[in-house]
Amino acid sequence: MSGIHGRYLRIDLSRGTSEHVAIPESVSRRLLGGVGLGTWLLLRESTPGFDPLSAEAPLVFAFSPLVGTGLTTSAKFAVVAKSPLTGFVCDALASSHFAIAGKRMGIDAIVVKGACETPSEWVRGVLRPTASWGRSAAETTSVLGGEGRVAAIGVAGEQLVRFATISADGRHAGRGGLGAVMGAKRLKAIVVAGELETPIADRTALEARADRLRARAAGPETAKYRELGTVGNLLAFDRVGALPTRNFQTSHFEGAEKLAAERWRGERAHRRAACAHCTIGCEQRYASRPGGAADVRIEYESQFALGPLVGVADPDAVLASSARCDALGLDTISAGATLAFSMECGERGWLEGAPAFGDDLLPWLDRIATRDGLGDRLAEGSLRLAREIGDEAVGIAPQVKGLEMPGYEPRALQTMALGLAVSSRGADHNRSSAYEADFSEEVDRMHGDARSVAAAVAAEERAAILDSLVLCKFVRGAMGDLFEESAAILSDLTGEAWSADGVETVAKRIVDLRRLGNEREGWQPADDSLPKRFLEEPIPGGPAVGARLPAERLRDLIRSYYLERGYDESGRISSDRRTAFESELGLDLTGPASGGADDA
Amino acid sequence: MSVARAGIVLCGGRSSRMGRAKAWLPWFDGRTLIEHVVERIRPAVDEVLVVTSVALDLPALDARVVRDREPERGPLAGLRDGLAATSAAHAFVTATDAPFLTTEYVDGMLSRRAACAPVEEGHVQVLSAVYPGEGAAVAERLLEEGRGRPRDLLEALDYEALDANDPALASAPWKGFNTPDAYLDAVRGEDPDARCRIEFLGRAALASKSPNLEVPVGTLGDVLAQAARACDLDLDLVEGEQVARGHLVSLGGRDLVRDLSLPVGPDERISVLDAQAGG
């Protein structure tokens, strides 16, 4: 099968060794690369119930069949591990030359196991002490960049902050705390380089297909991302009552105008940039202060989490916080949401010394990353902090399965509410993207029903394919029928006949495999839900005033989702199906009876 | 607590010809139609009940919200649920789309202390009528018998038919509307200069010389055309009968729509958004 190398590199940090291990072609056909292959490697290389911060925990960097093909947005890789934040299967994607250079080593993935005795860096096969411990990922990259392409952690990863990131080319595998997994191994950086080209079955046909996709990706379907980027969401979400504000207490922010990218355009320097091999160029950089150079990369999720969610309306402060998170290696969503949660706890008198809404976040981000004072407790994430405080606090902690919620108010976006509740990664906007239906006439966004279930299932499957090929989500609008076009691409690439149905089957398999992985690690039905606040309180004001998501409605949506997926009423996959997965994929998916976020 | 007079607003209908929930249609001064109607009734009664289906959220109201147990059975089922939920001896019952209702009219009707309804050219105005509290049990029986019209209930209660030509009823406060044109006519009748606010966001904001405008009320198609002309918009927002694919319109922050025939009401805020949300 072309498009892959059929092997991965297993690095054992405890022994200082590495070896190539074969990947059966049947696995590549069944799961492709990225999150599909990465999940398989994680489950294959671990024993049920393992501690994500232990030496035995695998940390997987998975490339994909399309890496190196020149298809727009295909230079992406998935980092896969058991999340120290959720205790479940977690994958995070980043776009960078790291993916291209890594695959040129003649491998489809890297699996890092073991732990170094002292802080180290792995550079093209050599494990050596690092001089970069205590530095940012960007500084580390500038030191090591001459030797290859770098993936590195910042101070937060070193300090095992449960929402630390892994960075490459200034982009971040952000969610779930995978930087802490790397930090627990005392591994500062991985540097890759190679010369091997990806074998392509029909290069001419694939290049022609890539040209057509590139042309479409320059069209109206991606115009919003090119012209404004995701920061264009903020004001729109505010106007429809979907902008989480002050720890999700409401969904309309009085300072939204000041944080709107539409306004920034006239006030501060701006420039666009693009990831490796991307022709969309959604990255938006703005001057951190009027009059300065356009130096800060900002996305909607960072803008919302470090702005409205924490009651901050000063754009300079939001841009500075985003830059600080990047420098420290903190996931902006979890950092902002955990701080927002602590702020509300402080207001209620539950948490002494907590910051207040609207406070300067910079010292707090430093305290989290260095685990200084209250920052040490915040570094554990909102769910663990809430459990320390008490049950009432758990009800307002903005998380699902321990992962902090992205910038979509679930009461006003109820297809997304379902997507957030059932996602294997936790509160997640990238493995579901169910919000697409809410922002259409396809569903009644304020009243989830059967249409929402169908939309959430379809969105999950589209994401599973895009994240395994891997292609950027922003190219989705430029593709006609995603499964058909993916099948055509895979046929040209692999030299094998792929069908749209076959691709869809892969998507369903990946969704199921992640659920089986979570079951192995202790998932329980109660993990598929939303915090009490969303099920008991209507939105108190703003455009979506009165929007409610009663617990019964969410339960019905979840039950229908399980039915649609062929799970039992409690959301479990039948033992026959699990056995079939084990046999097809050579995995042991039987796990201990407990685990999950409680034990992580 | 026992009360003497209640007002019941039925707003469970699907408003399919209007294309938007009538309860949320704007009716001047930044208020929705349901807020306006409740305000008109409230001074004349001891309590107001709003009967609605679970599929309709409501703004904060000075009223008790009662869930319509069987919305698919029509207004009599909602009427039954409203009457059953109050201890009032008599209740004035109205639909949501009754912007011309006056407190005096409601007061006058309830002062009769008996089942009564205006009759206009042979049509009994069943949703601008008074029903006694015991009507709940009668409505239940009628529904069981398969008789689902509110008029059946009034007849079973031996109601008093009021001549709509009576000068006291001359303003016909039961007049409502079922279509965008009828709604817009009613709005313009109240204020010929009624205007709405339009805001361009995202790409439309970048393509507009003035992202915030006020234009006369109308259908969404009318409003977008006027706004695009007024601000010299360098972007095509319309594709046939729909808003163009790359865009989406928020009406009042609640409905996300592309249908150009929908009505836009007084003081309503319309936001033109990029359709590709998220990321």
Side-chain angles (χ1 to χ4, degrees):
Chain A
M1 176 174 161
S2 296
I4 57 171
H5 297 292
R7 61 182 187 170
Y8 65 97
L9 185 69
R10 182 195 286 141
I11 301 171
D12 186 330
L13 297 173
S14 299
R15 294 179 183 169
T17 60
S18 62
E19 61 181 329
H20 286 111
V21 182
I23 300 170
E25 276 201 1
S26 60
V27 168
S28 298
R29 284 193 193 96
R30 288 188 165 105
L31 298 170
L32 299 174
V35 301
L37 174 64
T39 304
W40 181 79
L41 287 166
L42 171 70
L43 297 172
R44 179 187 168 87
E45 288 277 353
S46 61
T47 52
F50 68 98
D51 176 351
L53 297 179
S54 65
E56 67 166 310
L59 176 64
V60 181
F61 294 82
F63 311 123
S64 73
L66 299 191
V67 170
T69 61
L71 271 148
T72 186
T73 78
S74 65
K76 293 175 81 79
F77 65 100
V79 185
V80 186
K82 181 173 176 178
S83 164
L85 199 56
T86 69
F88 294 127
V89 173
C90 182
D91 45 67
L93 297 169
S95 306
S96 93
H97 290 283
F98 182 87
I100 298 165
K103 193 169 174 188
R104 282 189 177 156
M105 291 170 69
I107 53 176
D108 297 325
I110 298 170
V111 177
V112 183
K113 296 199 68 174
C116 306
E117 285 193 8
T118 56
S120 303
E121 56 202 24
W122 188 92
V123 182
R124 302 171 69 174
V126 177
L127 187 62
R128 65 193 193 197
T130 183
S132 295
W133 204 253
R135 290 180 169 169
S136 71
E139 289 166 338
T140 304
T141 300
S142 67
V143 170
L144 299 175
E147 299 186 69
R149 295 294 180 172
V150 182
I153 57 172
V155 172
E158 296 171 8
Q159 294 297 320
L160 312 187
V161 174
R162 288 184 189 270
F163 43 89
T165 61
I166 297 173
S167 308
D169 290 350
R171 307 289 299 191
H172 312 283
R175 303 237 64 196
L178 306 187
V181 177
M182 196 157 156
K185 296 180 179 304
R186 287 181 282 281
L187 181 63
K188 182 69 181 178
I190 295 180
V191 182
V192 294
E195 301 300 330
L196 286 173
E197 289 293 320
T198 301
I200 295 174
D202 188 340
R203 186 173 291 275
T204 307
L206 189 63
E207 283 177 358
R209 201 172 291 287
D211 286 344
R212 291 196 293 274
L213 182 59
R214 194 177 302 119
R216 275 181 277 144
E221 284 79 7
T222 57
K224 176 222 171 169
Y225 298 112
R226 276 198 309 278
E227 293 177 22
L228 264 174
T230 58
V231 285
N233 291 345
L234 191 129
L235 206 50
F237 282 29
D238 180 70
R239 295 299 190 256
V240 300
L243 178 64
T245 298
R246 293 190 177 82
N247 195 38
F248 287 86
Q249 292 181 84
T250 188
S251 64
H252 169 61
F253 186 49
E254 69 282 0
E257 294 277 351
K258 291 184 188 167
L259 299 180
E262 292 93 329
R263 175 181 273 211
W264 289 358
R265 281 297 176 87
E267 291 175 348
R268 53 187 74 216
H270 162 261
R271 72 181 167 91
R272 271 177 65 213
C275 296
H277 283 202
C278 171
T279 55
I280 297 175
C282 73
E283 186 173 308
Q284 310 289 324
R285 288 178 178 263
Y286 287 91
S288 52
R289 289 182 186 287
D295 53 354
V296 179
R297 186 178 69 83
I298 184 96
E299 300 287 345
Y300 166 68
E301 292 298 341
S302 306
Q303 185 192 22
F304 116 87
L306 304 169
L309 196 64
V310 287
V312 173
D314 175 1
D316 292 356
V318 172
L319 287 159
S321 296
S322 179
R324 187 67 62 89
C325 283
D326 284 358
L328 295 167
L330 289 171
D331 171 19
T332 52
I333 300 175
S334 284
T338 302
L339 280 164
F341 167 68
S342 75
M343 290 166 176
E344 188 176 353
C345 288
E347 274 188 353
R348 290 170 179 250
W350 296 346
L351 187 63
E352 201 176 324
F357 287 112
D359 274 2
D360 177 11
L361 299 188
L362 295 182
W364 286 99
L365 295 171
D366 290 341
R367 279 176 210 132
I368 290 170
T370 56
R371 287 187 171 271
D372 174 25
L374 181 56
D376 186 39
R377 294 167 72 193
L378 297 172
E380 294 291 291
S382 61
L383 181 58
R384 282 175 177 76
L385 179 60
R387 284 178 174 156
E388 272 184 38
I389 295 169
D391 286 349
E392 269 192 280
V394 172
I396 63 163
Q399 54 74 41
V400 175
K401 299 182 178 73
L403 187 70
E404 282 72 23
M405 299 178 71
Y408 302 80
E409 166 53 57
R411 288 164 289 192
L413 303 169
Q414 297 197 357
T415 308
M416 187 59 182
L418 172 62
L420 292 170
V422 299
S423 172
S424 59
R425 194 165 74 156
D428 185 7
H429 64 293
N430 274 327
R431 302 297 171 266
S432 166
S433 66
Y435 56 79
E436 285 175 47
D438 288 316
F439 284 96
S440 75
E441 292 180 303
E442 194 182 334
V443 299
D444 177 351
R445 69 185 175 104
M446 305 274 198
H447 302 93
D449 58 19
R451 293 169 299 173
S452 310
V453 175
V457 166
E460 240 177 15
E461 288 169 6
R462 287 197 299 272
I465 282 303
L466 288 166
D467 294 344
S468 302
L469 283 171
V470 179
L471 287 174
C472 176
K473 304 270 182 343
F474 297 165
V475 84
R476 66 197 162 203
M479 297 178 85
D481 179 307
L482 173 64
F483 295 145
E484 248 175 49
E485 188 152 358
S486 300
I489 289 169
L490 285 168
S491 298
D492 292 344
L493 175 65
T494 63
E496 299 183 354
W498 283 79
S499 67
D501 287 349
V503 173
E504 190 174 358
T505 301
V506 170
K508 291 179 189 298
R509 185 180 292 122
I510 291 167
V511 173
D512 287 354
L513 180 63
R514 287 194 287 211
R515 180 162 283 264
L516 283 166
N518 279 359
E519 280 193 38
R520 194 192 83 165
E521 297 306 312
W523 172 90
Q524 296 296 320
D527 292 317
D528 283 358
S529 190
L530 293 176
K532 265 189 189 172
R533 155 167 285 159
F534 301 107
L535 309 179
E536 294 181 352
E537 299 172 14
I539 294 179
V545 60
R548 302 163 68 249
L549 176 56
E552 192 182 336
R553 186 185 302 160
L554 181 64
R555 271 199 303 274
D556 286 346
L557 291 172
I558 292 172
R559 256 189 241 118
S560 301
Y561 168 88
Y562 291 159
L563 192 67
E564 183 80 17
R565 284 241 169 271
Y567 305 158
D568 72 15
E569 276 214 348
S570 66
R572 294 185 190 280
I573 295 178
S574 72
S575 58
D576 284 356
R577 207 153 137 199
R578 187 178 65 207
T579 305
F581 262 85
E582 289 177 328
S583 164
E584 274 181 9
L585 299 173
L587 294 171
D588 177 4
L589 295 168
T590 312
S594 63
D598 282 327
D599 299 338
Chain B
M1 188 184 73
S2 177
V3 296
R5 296 166 28 139
I8 295 176
V9 186
L10 301 184
C11 68
R14 280 181 292 186
S15 313
S16 49
R17 278 188 286 165
M18 185 65 72
R20 305 180 60 185
K22 287 184 192 173
W24 284 97
L25 285 174
W27 193 260
F28 297 100
D29 304 324
R31 284 173 307 163
T32 59
L33 202 47
I34 185 70
E35 289 170 306
H36 169 79
V37 169
V38 168
E39 278 176 26
R40 288 291 171 96
I41 297 172
R42 190 69 190 86
V45 299
D46 298 306
E47 69 168 354
V48 180
L49 299 96
V50 176
V51 184
T52 180
S53 70
V54 284
L56 183 66
D57 299 321
L58 293 170
L61 299 168
D62 185 8
R64 201 144 56 86
V65 176
V66 176
R67 293 297 172 195
D68 187 345
R69 288 185 288 136
E70 298 176 291
E72 70 285 355
R73 296 187 75 172
L76 184 59
L79 216 162
R80 170 202 61 190
D81 292 339
L83 289 171
T86 180
S87 59
H90 294 93
F92 174 79
V93 175
T94 178
T96 321
D97 54 323
F100 306 113
L101 207 57
T102 62
T103 305
E104 294 70 28
Y105 171 71
V106 176
D107 186 53
M109 291 289 283
L110 283 166
S111 297
R112 294 173 180 274
R113 298 185 183 182
C116 59
V119 179
E120 186 183 34
E121 295 174 5
H123 295 290
V124 183
Q125 299 302 323
V126 296
L127 295 184
S128 195
V130 172
Y131 296 77
E134 65 265 25
V138 182
E140 181 70 55
R141 180 170 54 76
L142 290 171
L143 285 164
E144 280 171 13
E145 291 169 1
R147 297 163 67 197
R149 298 180 313 160
R151 181 169 177 169
D152 294 331
L153 177 59
L154 281 172
E155 287 170 356
L157 294 169
D158 196 18
Y159 79 109
E160 180 185 357
L162 307 175
D163 183 355
N165 293 321
D166 183 322
L169 304 178
S171 67
W174 50 82
K175 293 278 190 220
F177 31 73
N178 287 318
T179 63
D181 283 347
Y183 164 66
L184 291 168
D185 284 347
V187 168
R188 291 179 187 123
E190 194 77 355
D191 177 2
D193 297 322
R195 297 172 85 78
C196 60
R197 292 176 292 156
I198 184 161
E199 178 183 33
F200 292 117
L201 300 175
R203 292 174 59 220
L206 300 184
S208 161
K209 287 183 179 157
S210 171
N212 289 286
L213 298 157
E214 281 195 6
V215 296
V217 298
T219 62
L220 179 57
D222 298 337
V223 166
L224 286 181
Q226 291 177 80
R229 274 196 303 274
C231 72
D232 202 10
L233 187 71
D234 184 21
L235 200 67
D236 200 356
L237 288 180
V238 171
E239 215 172 69
E241 301 299 310
Q242 299 271 307
V243 172
R245 263 179 310 157
H247 300 279
L248 198 59
V249 172
S250 151
L251 300 181
R254 298 189 71 83
D255 301 325
L256 290 174
V257 303
R258 296 183 60 211
D259 180 350
L260 296 175
S261 71
L262 297 173
V264 179
D267 309 322
E268 185 158 30
R269 182 174 189 155
I270 315 164
S271 303
V272 178
L273 320 171
D274 289 314
Q276 301 102 337

